[in-house]
Amino acid sequence: MKTVTKLVEVATTGIYNRSRKYSLREVFVNPDFVVSLMPDNNMTKLLKEGELPEDLDQRQQFTRVLVHE
């Protein structure tokens, strides 16, 4: 039986202009295809600047997940 892991992704809109907005959405990842995990300090910075959804705890940590396509 294949196992998948539910994660929460920080999704963006308006990537190419200054009206960038962030939202959260659930995604499912097969751990067998995860290549690497890296801290995402840029998201931590955006959280501290108030750019991310306001219901996030300020102690939240973020990880960039690289999957094999």
Side-chain angles (χ1 to χ4, degrees), residues 6-46:
K6 181 171 71 170
L7 303 174
V8 177
E9 175 183 27
V10 178
T12 61
T13 60
I15 293 172
Y16 299 108
N17 58 41
R18 297 204 182 267
S19 65
R20 185 177 297 177
K21 303 244 188 247
Y22 297 91
S23 62
L24 304 177
R25 65 180 175 201
E26 292 180 348
V27 295
F28 294 88
V29 175
N30 181 337
D32 292 340
F33 292 95
V34 172
V35 175
S36 67
L37 301 169
M38 300 158 282
D40 192 338
N41 297 325
N42 186 53
M43 283 294 142
T44 302
K45 179 179 174 241
L46 289 172

